Amino acid sequence: MASENSPLLAYRLLGDEGVAFSANGAGGPGGASARKLSTFLGVVVPTVLSMFSIVVFLRIGFVVGHAGLLQALAMLLVAYFILALTVLSVCAIATNGAVRGGGAYFMISRTLGPEVGGSIGLMFYLANVCGCAVSLLGLVEAVLDVFGADSARSSGLQVLPQGYGWNLLYGSLLLGLVGGVCTLGAGLYARASFLTFLLVSGSLASVLVSFVAVGPRSIPLTPRPGPNGSSLPPQVGHFTGFNSSTLKANLGAGYSKDYTTGAMMNFASVFAVLFNGCTGIMAGANMSGELKDPSRAIPLGTIVAVAYTFFIYTLLFFLSSFTCDRTLLQEDYGFFRAISLWPPLVLIGIYATSLSASMSSLIGASRILHALAQDDLFGVILAPAKVVSRTGNPWGAVLYSWGLVQLVLLAGKLNTLAAVVTVFYLVAYAAVDLSCLSLEWASAPNFRPTFSLFSWHTCLLGVASCLLMMFLISPGAAGGSLLLMGLLSALLTARGGPSSWGYVSQALLFHQVRKYLLRLDVRKDHVKFWRPQLLLLVGNPRGALPLLRLANQLKKGGLYVLGHVTLGDLDCLPSDPVQPQYGAWLSLVDRAQVKAFVDLTLSPSVRQGAQHLLRISGLGGMKPNTLVLGFYDDAAPQDHFLTDPAFSEAADGTQEGGSPALSTLFPPPRAPGSPRALSPQDYVATVADALKMNKNVVLARACGALPPERLSRGSGGTSQPHHVDVWPLNLLRPRGGPGYVDVCGLFLLQMATILGMVPAWHSARLRIFLCLGPREAPGAAEGRLRALLSQLRIRAEVQEVVWGEGAGSGEPGEEEEGDFVNGRRGDAEAEALAGSANALVRAQQGRSRGEGPGGPEGGDGEGGPATALTFLYLPRPPADPARYTRYLALLEILTRDLGPTLLIHGVTPVTCTDL
């Protein structure tokens, strides 16, 4: 259960001095003082600049020239449709609560959990780092294309030396400028971005005006190299002005070779180039820690930016198709300069978009890194990124990211890496869509975003579209990114992450489990699909670990509930003492590695508490049908926490992570002779109550003597062979139909068979003992039982033993079933019968070890495998409660010195011979 320290308390209206608190103040680096960016400066401007990038100036001709206007518009619609699906998911998540620093990483990690969120967040961070390097190198190439000493253009100053070292120097100088702006804070970045936005807008305005104001002209094109190193004849492109013939010629596709790479273009390759330039929709969300109101700014600003860029791209596609012939479009991707009223303004736009894209990538990367470092998912390796200034600027993360970008710049050519960057972006977009889809499918009451223009259909389509685009752009990079995400998720799972974020997987599981529990109709139960559903009542788990693990082996995929009764009366207590105990019991389940639920109750007596648990444990068709209890005897309880390796703890009494050790959460075992919480009378009454409620009962004695390998989760195939002995007849009823196996006897056979299916018990040999009367012919009962076992598909060794000599007089069937238990025979006679039955069982155990009937009870002899576990028929408790103590004494005599023993009474049919 969640504590009262809820995140909603951050929304209190007034502080101690009557000052209003911001609902978003805790999110960004440095708190509320760092949140000062408006929707326009913090979201619209960086998103527009990121979605334009250099594509708007240098790839319009490429797309329209190869694909034609119709296919170019189709590509644009598909690209923006995919982006719009993700934008809808971003808007939904952003308006569902306070968004803190980290943008997309924060949204993903707080929804899908730290494992998936951390892995995708790191990949998104690396994409921004590499995207910054790509933008800087693109800017360097654009500058050298005009001012480089080796430039093929005849115009320009051509004064900058070129080469790998010089390119690296130019890139590093530009990175220093970008890093300096980002290090000084989001405010300076916002002002620099706004200035860049003005320059880009002015440059685009000049281009749009030029389409109308410039008259038709011919534009000489740079000669292209021929196949043998010679130059091809010079070509001329034509700017025709608005001309219907030009538009008609540009409507259809005309794919040819790309003059920059020599590769033949097609729909997929052109679409990939266009889509690469549009993947900047998270630029504003990455600034969530600096926004005044991120829940409003992110959806509004992102939608405005997407709509604005879509309009500009569409307008440029139409204007280019109306005014430029295909030769100009295909052979000069930078034709905007050739048709511009003032060409230098186009250069300024190209440089400004590249510079702004690099700034946006760097500051976005630093914010993601800072959020990752604050969440401490990757340990000390990201510790420097936690450093912030007094105003909350994470300059440590900026310098960390600056260093990584500098390393990427050393690689020089990044054409291949550009596809990887886009794929990483798409992984993050798909994760955002998946987060929103999960929240919508989980139907959690607290998922009620104020933005409602989405549905699970849009989220699912967004996930599928992003995955499709990943493999369309680069199948190798897509497969590698998914593999990297899996490895990072596995690493974070192994490290362990915060559990207080809330996992949508838990909400989805709850939703599905509830749905299927409603469909699990108890009226459709059939015996052939029966399985044990156990309720194990535990007083102190320190003395019950072996039984706890043995019950886990007996459940056979069924329900397993650990029940505990705390004595007390809620009317006399200030609060419920049970609720704080759940954490300790759940930790016990984890450490013991059992698949069990925990159910605790408060009751004035253990018997009443057991009744409560038998009635209310479970849900719907998953309710316990079998009660498991430890045996009530005078043996001193052992502290298995001291000897079990799974419960080894540090000397200071803490576990890994600093949480309290389990040994401090449970009291030490009961000292010998100390009073018990349960009397013998109530113990037997609890057994009787369970049988009255039509529950099967299992009493376990001496389970602590089981060797650890029998209780392990692994295979026991390499261990010594051993027997599991089953006595399916009531040994306290020597006559009355010997050789007959009733419902209870079949229940014993079923439970023993289930245990043999467990890997640790695969080497066990099942032995079934049939008791014959002194005058009964041998073989008849054994034949009937073997035929039954064949029908039940149970492999076992059947042995007949003579039982009943001296136990009483009379013919078979003369005694009633409860004669000895209910006291209709004398105590001495009943105890003698129980002692004789005990001797008989021990004699068979001794024979399995090659000993005589009077041989030692323990140890492995050379005669054969030892008996590891014995299943005995548990008689019904007497009808008279005054006989309960005597009944318990008979059970103690019956099971004395037998080693690990299970006394079982089954009341429901559990076997079936039908298909």
Side-chain angles (χ1 to χ4, degrees), residues 731-734 803 805-807 820 826-843 853 857 872 889-898:
L731 294 178
L732 297 184
R733 182 190 177 197
W803 172 234
E805 291 181 314
F820 291 95
D827 289 351
E829 186 178 357
E831 291 179 4
L833 176 63
S836 299
N838 175 266
L840 175 67
V841 176
R842 285 193 293 120
E857 289 88 14
L872 294 182
L890 292 178
L891 296 183
E892 196 282 328
I893 295 173
L894 176 63
T895 57
R896 185 180 298 165
D897 297 329
L898 293 185

Side-chain angles (χ1 to χ4, degrees), residues 727 729 731 738-739 769-773 776 799-803 840:
W727 297 78
L729 300 178
L731 294 178
F769 292 93
L770 281 180
C771 301
L772 300 181
E776 187 173 3
Q799 295 186 14
E800 291 183 336
V801 295
V802 178
W803 172 234
L840 175 67

Side-chain angles (χ1 to χ4, degrees), residues 470-484:
M470 286 167 51
F471 286 94
L472 180 64
I473 291 173
S474 176
S481 65
L482 296 178
L483 177 61
L484 177 60

Side-chain angles (χ1 to χ4, degrees), residues 250-319:
N250 287 331
L251 286 178
Y255 296 107
S256 61
K257 288 186 178 182
D258 176 16
Y259 71 83
T260 61
T261 62
M264 186 66 186
M265 294 292 100
N266 53 40
F267 184 91
S269 58
V270 174
F271 183 49
V273 171
L274 173 64
F275 193 84
N276 284 342
C278 301
T279 53
I281 57 175
M282 291 294 185
N286 290 340
M287 301 300 296
S288 58
E290 281 79 15
L291 297 174
K292 292 178 181 177
D293 186 3
S295 295
R296 178 181 180 274
I298 291 175
L300 178 61
T302 305
I303 291 176
V304 169
V306 170
Y308 174 71
T309 55
F310 177 76
F311 172 75
I312 294 299
Y313 274 124
T314 304
L315 184 59
L316 289 175
F317 281 179
F318 270 107
L319 293 176

Side-chain angles (χ1 to χ4, degrees), residues 22-65:
S22 169
N24 302 322
S33 62
R35 294 182 177 272
K36 54 189 177 183
L37 296 185
S38 64
T39 301
F40 181 74
L41 291 179
V43 181
V44 175
V45 169
T47 304
V48 166
L49 293 176
S50 296
M51 295 188 70
F52 276 158
S53 66
I54 205 169
V55 172
V56 74
F57 289 103
L58 296 182
R59 288 296 180 266
I60 295 295
F62 170 83
V63 175
V64 177

Side-chain angles (χ1 to χ4, degrees), residues 109-337:
S109 61
R110 268 47 175 192
T111 304
L112 301 181
E115 293 82 7
V116 177
S119 60
I120 295 178
L122 184 61
M123 293 170 62
F124 194 40
Y125 167 73
L126 295 176
N128 277 276
V129 167
C130 296
C132 178
V134 169
S135 298
L136 289 173
L137 287 178
L139 176 56
V140 170
E141 291 182 4
V143 171
L144 293 179
D145 185 54
V146 177
F147 300 105
D150 301 331
S151 174
R153 295 183 181 271
S154 58
S155 60
L157 298 179
Q158 298 181 339
V159 294
L160 296 178
Q162 294 181 246
Y164 170 77
W166 288 106
N167 291 0
L168 178 61
L169 175 62
Y170 303 146
S172 301
L173 293 175
L174 292 172
L175 176 59
L177 173 63
V178 170
V181 171
C182 295
T183 303
L184 293 178
L188 180 60
Y189 161 76
R191 289 190 289 272
S193 295
F194 181 64
L195 176 61
T196 306
F197 178 78
L198 293 178
L199 293 175
V200 173
S201 299
S203 179
L204 284 175
S206 73
V207 171
L208 295 176
V209 171
S210 298
F211 277 111
V212 179
V214 175
R217 64 176 64 177
S218 298
I219 302 172
L221 302 177
T222 303
R224 307 299 176 201
N228 299 321
S230 59
S231 296
L232 294 175
Q235 292 181 291
V236 177
H238 299 281
F239 177 79
T240 63
F242 287 93
N243 189 303
S244 59
S245 300
T246 305
L247 175 63
K248 185 177 180 180
N250 287 331
L251 286 178
Y255 296 107
S256 61
K257 288 186 178 182
D258 176 16
Y259 71 83
T260 61
T261 62
M264 186 66 186
M265 294 292 100
N266 53 40
F267 184 91
S269 58
V270 174
F271 183 49
V273 171
L274 173 64
F275 193 84
N276 284 342
C278 301
T279 53
I281 57 175
M282 291 294 185
N286 290 340
M287 301 300 296
S288 58
E290 281 79 15
L291 297 174
K292 292 178 181 177
D293 186 3
S295 295
R296 178 181 180 274
I298 291 175
L300 178 61
T302 305
I303 291 176
V304 169
V306 170
Y308 174 71
T309 55
F310 177 76
F311 172 75
I312 294 299
Y313 274 124
T314 304
L315 184 59
L316 289 175
F317 281 179
F318 270 107
L319 293 176
S320 300
S321 301
F322 262 107
T323 59
C324 302
D325 69 355
R326 194 175 294 272
T327 301
L328 177 61
L329 295 175
Q330 289 185 343
E331 298 297 330
D332 186 3
Y333 300 151
F335 71 94
F336 282 176
R337 289 178 55 204

